[in-house]
Amino acid sequence: MEEVDGEGSGGSIRYTLKPTRISNEDILFCIDADAESLVEMKATGPNGRPLTRLDSVKQAILLFVNAKLSINPDHRFAFSFLTKSPSWLKKDFSSEVESAIHAVQLLSATSSYGPADLTNLFRVAAHEAKKSRAQNRILRVILIYCRSSAKPQHQWPLNQKLFTLDVIYLHDKPGPDNCPQDVYDALVDALEHVTEYKGYIHESGTGLVRVLFRHMCMLLAHPQQRCQQEYLDIPKPLIKKSPASDSVPGEDNIPVSSQ
């Protein structure tokens, strides 16, 4: 946004927005395949069995893909999973919903892997970002992380920002055997280190599926059209807000701080 010479009515300063092209996105999902992805959520499936974090993540991803393609059918998606390092589920970017469904169905989690190294994920993303740029597209990585006691690690040059990084962090409540605040801080550090456009990080320790869906819907925002995350005030509550002095912690409150 640039200031224009002269003043508007009432002595106010006039501004103008330069016309810019909003690029189509290539979106790479990276889903945590650690055993902590099998922690149960506060919801049950059609068969009456509790949904796990991974079950809920699968639903949220398909919600995102369908909504994103409704906005722009030219966005494309690829899928990977994270153990100690990332591996491909579906390498070729596609706009086909059926392709996304097939990739999501392949997701599973069985073992505990300890701390994840995100370096190879960033290398893959940087490589794919260069290919996307050659087609006048931009690349975004959406990392879904579920480990409460294993801080992710990475090594990456400070001056190399070729893609946007978003993070959703599902975790346990703080306790003697975990450190979700430290994990969250490490994820924030990674995001700020590598992201090209404004990256968002959302986290929840409530175990509520609707909170996960809310976070995923907020990631529908195109990286080239985003405000700072601290300015987000959506979705609006349906009930009238109580005065701040009367407010009490609700079930959506989270146990780690979003610094």
Side-chain angles (χ1 to χ4, degrees), residues 5-131:
D5 291 337
E7 294 185 350
S9 60
S12 60
I13 299 174
R14 295 166 53 231
Y15 290 89
T16 183
L17 280 172
K18 282 187 174 182
T20 57
R21 181 181 182 276
I22 303 302
S23 302
N24 295 329
E25 285 193 86
D26 288 335
I27 299 174
L28 169 59
F29 281 97
C30 185
I31 302 100
D32 198 346
D34 186 85
E36 290 193 61
S37 300
L38 300 179
V39 171
E40 293 179 355
M41 303 285 281
K42 295 177 181 177
T44 55
N47 57 5
R49 297 177 60 184
L51 292 174
T52 65
R53 287 172 179 165
L54 187 58
D55 294 330
S56 304
V57 164
K58 290 179 180 181
Q59 293 179 2
I61 288 174
L62 294 179
L63 168 68
F64 178 94
V65 169
N66 278 280
K68 195 71 173 171
L69 291 176
S70 296
I71 297 169
N72 181 350
D74 292 325
H75 293 313
R76 304 186 304 196
F77 307 90
F79 298 86
S80 64
F81 62 94
L82 184 66
T83 54
K84 283 189 175 295
S85 59
S87 300
W88 284 108
L89 270 173
K90 181 186 175 299
K91 186 175 181 179
D92 296 327
F93 286 89
S94 171
S95 299
E96 298 296 327
V97 174
E98 292 77 11
S99 178
I101 292 173
H102 177 71
V104 165
Q105 289 174 340
L106 296 175
L107 282 168
S108 63
T110 54
S111 303
S112 296
Y113 296 99
D117 189 344
L118 302 180
T119 305
N120 283 339
L121 173 62
F122 297 160
R123 286 174 180 161
V124 168
H127 175 72
E128 295 296 331
K130 292 175 182 177
K131 294 196 292 185

Side-chain angles (χ1 to χ4, degrees), residues 242-255:
S242 301
S245 59
D246 297 332
S247 63
V248 294
E251 61 179 354
D252 288 2
N253 284 10
I254 50 182

Side-chain angles (χ1 to χ4, degrees), residues 4 88 121 159 227 250:
V4 179
W88 284 108
L121 173 62
N159 60 348
C227 65

Side-chain angles (χ1 to χ4, degrees), residues 146-234:
C146 299
R147 305 178 203 187
S148 300
S149 57
K151 292 195 302 180
Q153 305 165 354
H154 73 278
Q155 295 181 345
W156 196 249
L158 283 172
N159 60 348
Q160 192 174 50
K161 296 187 175 184
L162 301 173
F163 57 91
T164 301
L165 176 63
D166 288 332
V167 180
I168 290 180
Y169 178 36
L170 305 178
H171 57 82
D172 298 333
K173 294 182 178 180
D177 299 324
N178 60 38
C179 52
Q181 182 66 63
D182 292 341
V183 176
Y184 177 83
D185 292 344
L187 290 168
V188 171
D189 178 68
L191 186 151
E192 293 176 345
H193 195 153
V194 305
T195 195
E196 177 184 16
Y197 295 101
K198 294 179 179 67
Y200 289 168
I201 179 167
H202 297 292
E203 54 86 22
S204 175
T206 64
L208 296 173
V209 176
R210 61 183 173 81
V211 175
L212 169 61
F213 280 23
R214 179 194 307 164
H215 292 336
M216 188 64 80
C217 287
M218 293 174 78
L219 296 187
L220 289 169
H222 194 288
Q224 292 175 315
Q225 296 176 302
R226 291 181 173 183
C227 65
Q228 297 288 350
Q229 184 170 346
E230 56 264 32
Y231 299 151
L232 288 174
D233 60 352
I234 53 174

